[in-house]
Amino acid sequence: MARILVTAPQLPEALDLLTVTHEVIGGQEFMTRDEIASYIGGVDAILSALSDPLDAEMISLAGPGLKIIAQCAAGFNNIDVAAAKQRGIQVSTTPGVLHEATADTAFMLMLMVTRRAGEAERWVRDHKPWRYSHTFMLGTGLQGAQLGIIGLGQIGEAMGRRAAVLGMDVVYSSRSDKDLSAIDGVNPDTAPTRRVELGELLETSDVVSLHCPLTPETRHIIDAAALAQMKDTAFLVNTARGACVDEAALVDALNSGSIAGAGLDVYEDEPTINPALYEMDNVVLLPHIGSATRQTRWMMSKLAIDNITDVLAGRPARTAL
Ligand code: GLV
């Protein structure tokens, strides 16, 4: 019976699936670094979460039995993949199952911030006086506006599809021309195909939405200079990783009115949020719920468990990095 470390709360049905054939440790509470460190020497697999600090030092504590870190997320910036691979530990993620739900969240944030939905809802809940008025709570319409997608993977493509249905013009930036047919699940016939340089994207888009992974190159890709390039009527949406945006610079840009608003699901130092953001009515704040639908979370759990099963049976993980 293999020992599986589950580092964060999991769906009961996922735990049931694992415990049929394995001994499961954890699974109830978010584990601290010290707790993970105390277990990592004696387990065969880790079902990990995106906040687990699986850096080189932690991976050096792995026992000889550890064969796979199965990350239950698309992003993996918390894992030192090279250090894991060097020790023969496979690392897998859960692509292909969460992009639609995450694009829904980005789309929702775009609509919420441009149509002032958070602010309007707070107004009603605060019992502030209102009645239908031609001039009340006017937002920004998006038909004919331009969406700039930074990072065209599965989630960016799904966001582009949604925006196109709304009547938006969609452009994207990436470091190189994308061979869209090479991105799993992307339909080149419907994907945005107009690639522009990042500078042009920032200068010309009405909404800028981040869909890139967090890497050394994309850390603070939206910094003070990038924010200054955006139109003062433009909105920023981030469902990628908080550290893709310099949060202090974002606060300055919002304070000075150099951009019009922001819809955020992720933060630089989660779950801490820059206190100034709470006070801004032109900012929508969500608690990192990008892929949080029951259906998607089950598909993510199932795929991560399938990866563990594969590797423990001597096969490569089906979505290995
Ligand atoms: C969520 O942020 C993920 O990476 O899956």
Side-chain angles (χ1 to χ4, degrees), residues 10-11 14 17 47 72 94 296-309 318:
Q10 259 296 339
L11 302 177
L17 194 59
L47 181 56
C72 202
T94 57
T296 299
R297 288 289 159 88
W298 166 243
M299 289 190 287
M300 292 165 67
S301 297
K302 177 74 171 58
L303 179 52
I305 291 171
D306 285 344
N307 279 317
I308 291 176
T309 307
R318 60 195 69 182

Side-chain angles (χ1 to χ4, degrees), residues 25 44 68 100 135 147 170 184 186 190 202 217 233 308 311:
I25 301 165
D44 303 292
I68 176 166
E100 300 290 357
T135 53
L147 170 67
V170 183
D184 262 357
V186 166
T190 53
L202 293 168
E217 293 77 41
T233 51
I308 291 176
V311 170

Side-chain angles (χ1 to χ4, degrees), residues 50 73-75 98 240-241 288 291 300:
L50 55 83
L98 57 76
R241 282 292 180 267
H288 203 150
S291 64
M300 292 165 67

Side-chain angles (χ1 to χ4, degrees), residues 2-7 25 36-37 39-48 54-71 79-80 83-92 308 311-312:
R3 296 185 93 200
I4 319 291
L5 175 60
V6 179
T7 61
I25 301 165
I36 296 174
Y39 285 121
I40 197 166
V43 296
D44 303 292
I46 301 178
L47 181 56
S48 61
L54 294 170
D55 49 32
E57 187 191 339
M58 187 71 91
I59 284 167
S60 72
L61 303 175
L66 184 59
K67 295 178 191 64
I68 176 166
I69 297 171
Q71 171 95 332
I79 304 174
D80 190 326
K85 286 188 175 172
Q86 206 175 23
R87 292 178 68 104
I89 302 165
Q90 291 191 45
V91 180
S92 63
I308 291 176
V311 170
L312 293 180

Side-chain angles (χ1 to χ4, degrees), residues 62-226:
L66 184 59
K67 295 178 191 64
I68 176 166
I69 297 171
Q71 171 95 332
C72 202
F76 54 91
N77 50 288
N78 58 311
I79 304 174
D80 190 326
V81 178
K85 286 188 175 172
Q86 206 175 23
R87 292 178 68 104
I89 302 165
Q90 291 191 45
V91 180
S92 63
T93 57
T94 57
V97 294
L98 57 76
H99 52 291
E100 300 290 357
T102 307
D104 284 344
T105 301
F107 193 66
M108 171 169 69
L109 278 171
M110 178 171 75
L111 287 175
M112 283 183 76
V113 70
T114 55
R115 294 298 302 274
R116 303 171 64 182
E119 182 184 355
E121 213 237 6
R122 281 192 294 281
W123 187 282
V124 173
R125 282 185 190 275
D126 288 348
H127 297 275
K128 289 188 182 162
W130 70 274
R131 63 191 174 96
Y132 173 81
S133 157
H134 195 64
T135 53
F136 179 55
M137 208 50 89
L138 304 185
T140 302
L142 292 176
Q143 288 70 32
Q146 178 177 300
L147 170 67
I149 293 175
I150 299 180
L152 192 72
Q154 290 177 324
I155 303 172
E157 184 269 340
M159 175 65 167
R161 245 189 292 125
R162 283 158 177 72
V165 169
L166 207 61
M168 295 184 82
D169 181 25
V170 183
V171 302
Y172 75 95
S173 80
S174 78
R175 270 173 308 152
S176 54
D177 264 330
K178 284 267 177 191
D179 174 5
L180 297 176
S181 61
I183 309 175
D184 262 357
V186 166
N187 178 351
D189 295 335
T190 53
T193 49
R194 196 150 76 82
R195 176 182 166 238
V196 296
E197 293 304 321
L198 179 61
E200 180 184 339
L201 180 146
L202 293 168
E203 279 166 20
T204 59
S205 294
D206 301 292
V207 179
V208 172
S209 190
L210 285 157
H211 297 286
C212 50
L214 176 63
T215 64
E217 293 77 41
T218 62
R219 180 172 293 277
H220 287 191
I221 190 168
I222 300 296
D223 58 7

